[in-house]
Amino acid sequence: MPEQTTGPRPTLEAVAARAGVSRATASRVVNGGAGVRAPLVEKVLRAVEELGYVPNHAARTLVTRRNGAVAVIIAEPEFRIFSDPFFEQQVRGISRELTAHDAQLVLLWVEGPGDHERIARYLGGGHVDGALAFSLHSDDALPTVIERARIPMVFGGRPAPGTDPTVPFVDCDNRGGAREAVRHLVGLGRRNIAHISGPADQTSAIDRIHGYRDVLLDADPALLGRGDFTEESGARAMAELLDRRPDVDGVFVANDLMASGALRTLRERGVRVPEDVAVVGFDDMASVVERTVPALTTVHQDIEGMGRLMVKLLMRLLDGTGAEIPASVITPTSLIRRASA
Amino acid sequence: MPEQTTGPRPTLEAVAARAGVSRATASRVVNGGAGVRAPLVEKVLRAVEELGYVPNHAARTLVTRRNGAVAVIIAEPEFRIFSDPFFEQQVRGISRELTAHDAQLVLLWVEGPGDHERIARYLGGGHVDGALAFSLHSDDALPTVIERARIPMVFGGRPAPGTDPTVPFVDCDNRGGAREAVRHLVGLGRRNIAHISGPADQTSAIDRIHGYRDVLLDADPALLGRGDFTEESGARAMAELLDRRPDVDGVFVANDLMASGALRTLRERGVRVPEDVAVVGFDDMASVVERTVPALTTVHQDIEGMGRLMVKLLMRLLDGTGAEIPASVITPTSLIRRASA
DNA sequence: CCACTCTCTGAGAGCGCTCCCAGGGAGTGG
DNA sequence: CCACTCCCTGGGAGCGCTCTCAGAGAGTGG
């Protein structure tokens, strides 16, 4: 039990004195004890325990130039990005992996261009060892701002073209997943397969369109609907699709939320799923997938795992000599078959 | 424009040399420039600019014993606490206020009792100046763990009895808001007013029940339904209520999510709102309130403001001599009348 | 038993900053 | 014009830690 001494916190000096060793030896023990003989290690450890010693982080950082903290930059050009379950899972993965590496998560919430300078200063100020950011709309200036801080970083999601290509990213195989989804519909014998895509300025949406086109090389443009990843937009896009091409018998929707909206429209119009129209989503978001009627067939991606991977890449970047840049990672997706297709 | 010098970051020493002043003077300027004559301030500022100087945080912390970071402790005994819009708003308020105080937000994500020791070590290690935590179920051991770290902190939500009473908290006037809601129903001429409450181990739910009872001193116990703050539980509680007391003509529901569920049940049973049964919620959560049919009359609370207040209290705690403990704050609520009551 | 190697330990020099304190310069009254 | 006060400024110590480097001690071979 640590002594409940009031007053200033004990220093390494105090530990060393109590253990009867030098500060250097005490330091070695505290940092793993390599190269110190067992009896001394024992003594120092006991002193640490008795004094309730906790290393002073600032002092350590001052000399090691490492502070064991990583910034997670959350930009909020739109509403709801934080309450987004997708986002939550990713941050959770990051948090867990960071904990495993004994690193802290510093949250940088960007509310608008006015915050950019503040963020850049913070990043450049050496408060954190590295940064994690998420790919945004292609017209966002934030990536550039971050890059200028010249601090190790990793993106979540493939960044828009034009972003510094030396920054590694973690993304799921959007294109491959989309292909698998569409192939599944084809395998079901569907002939008029539509796609409801996400915003054109997001790489994930673009990649999914590409996957759709990879399989359906010359699909009728009328079979291409567009949404913005919200449920409402999915419902609307589905309605328009039905108007344009009443003979549609399969839809690959770029995310589960929009798929849920599409399902609603279908139900409202009396179209049977999957009998008349088979529907496949993307994301395998538990909160959505479990509630749709019928249960949604969708493309699964390991979101938490992607968060963890971002941290792993960053750690490699941090540990490395600086010369080698870890390659970006594309994580696999898998089709989860449920009732809707 | 800062010079794009590669290599180590410039130190205060370098700035001082360039400005032709001593390190002490440069330091004074960087920290506000009080007591330094204008021309020198000017010179130092220019040197800072030219060198692209950014203060070394660790060095500063080492001597000032202040590190400009505040921990936000997020416990996740249940699912979804992070994707909860309530929570999001509160964290946003915290983030904004922290930014205003030039302080950083360090996110501590607690996933279970296994993390407690880690959290305690971190908090005790002087990595942060203070901590912000949210009141949890009464049987949670976390508050105790945090308290042992003996670090300035503020709770969000009135903590359960038994928690250290010297820790200030910020909560909305749950009881008063509930009273207002029920009085509104009374004013509408409703005679059989029910209440659907939240989990019995959460102070907010308890306070709201008290508010209900304050107005309806001898309400029939059969008019008291119980949920767990989820939409589903609200729907179920409403159904049971309808079965027990078909003559119910008003319901005060302890949160909007449950109210939304209750509204659904009412609609399914063909009960008209507000004609047959008037419904009042609590929270005024935009995402829920805007979607219900009819639009939900509810008790508004300034969630973001509460987050900001938490930070303000903490800052006062930090700045104070340590003797005076700022009082907890109860923020006002207000009834927002919409169509449901 | 001595010389040499190898392992372990401790002294000391900073890391970059703040802040105390002493000293210098300007300003003012006699 | 001198003495005294007041405001600025700079020197220097030290925050708590890590890490280099040299030296002490143990072990080994000749």
Side-chain angles (χ1 to χ4, degrees), chain A residues 11-12 23-24 27 31 53 55-56 59-60 63:
Chain A
T11 68
L12 234 207
R23 208 174 52 246
S27 172
N31 290 291
Y53 169 76
N56 180 311
R60 181 176 280 177
V63 36

Side-chain angles (χ1 to χ4, degrees), chain A residues 196-211:
Chain A
I196 296 178
S197 70
D201 59 352
Q202 290 189 23
T203 56
S204 62
I206 296 169
D207 291 349
R208 290 169 200 182
I209 296 180
H210 282 311

Side-chain angles (χ1 to χ4, degrees), chain A residues 271-306:
Chain A
V271 179
R272 293 171 306 163
V273 175
E275 294 81 352
D276 302 330
V277 175
V279 177
V280 180
F282 203 113
D283 284 350
D284 196 26
M285 205 112 85
S287 58
V288 176
V289 157
E290 289 164 3
R291 287 186 198 163
T292 62
V293 182
L296 189 65
T297 291
T298 191
V299 179
H300 173 82
Q301 53 172 326
D302 180 9
I303 303 172
E304 187 188 322
M306 287 165 64

Side-chain angles (χ1 to χ4, degrees), chain B residues 255-327:
Chain B
N255 79 340
D256 289 345
L257 225 46
M258 290 199 298
S260 162
L263 247 25
R264 198 178 73 213
T265 297
L266 257 11
R267 191 170 49 246
E268 285 168 6
R269 300 249 184 143
V271 180
R272 293 170 307 162
V273 176
E275 293 83 353
D276 304 329
V277 175
V279 177
V280 179
F282 203 113
D283 286 349
D284 196 27
M285 202 114 84
S287 57
V288 177
V289 157
E290 289 164 2
R291 287 186 199 164
T292 61
V293 183
L296 189 65
T297 291
T298 192
V299 179
H300 173 83
Q301 54 172 326
D302 180 10
I303 304 171
E304 186 187 322
M306 288 165 64
R308 305 187 83 119
L309 259 169
M310 288 175 70
V311 173
K312 282 180 185 152
L313 282 195
L314 187 64
M315 290 300 165
R316 206 171 305 157
L317 217 52
L318 258 29
D319 291 339
T321 56
E324 53 200 300
I325 298 158

Side-chain angles (χ1 to χ4, degrees), chain B residues 12 23 27 31 53 56 59-60:
Chain B
L12 234 208
R23 206 172 55 244
S27 172
N31 290 291
Y53 170 77
N56 180 312
R60 181 176 280 176

Side-chain angles (χ1 to χ4, degrees), chain B residues 54 73 112 120 128 152 158 171 180 184 196 236 245 299 314 326:
Chain B
V54 181
I73 302 165
V128 291
R158 183 167 72 77
D171 203 352
E180 196 179 353
H184 176 63
I196 296 177
R236 203 177 328 115
R245 289 284 305 256
V299 179
L314 187 64

Side-chain angles (χ1 to χ4, degrees), chain A residues 24-47:
Chain A
T25 298
S27 172
R28 275 186 277 262
V29 172
V30 169
N31 290 291
V36 179
R37 243 169 311 177
L40 282 198
V41 170
E42 185 71 14
K43 268 203 265 184
V44 173
L45 252 25
R46 187 162 40 234

Side-chain angles (χ1 to χ4, degrees), chain A residues 1 11 35 39 56 59 94 145 184 202 216 219 225 231 249 265 268:
Chain A
M1 281 287 106
T11 68
N56 180 311
I94 289 171
V145 172
H184 176 63
Q202 290 189 23
L216 269 22
E231 175 157 15
D249 57 4
T265 297
E268 285 168 6

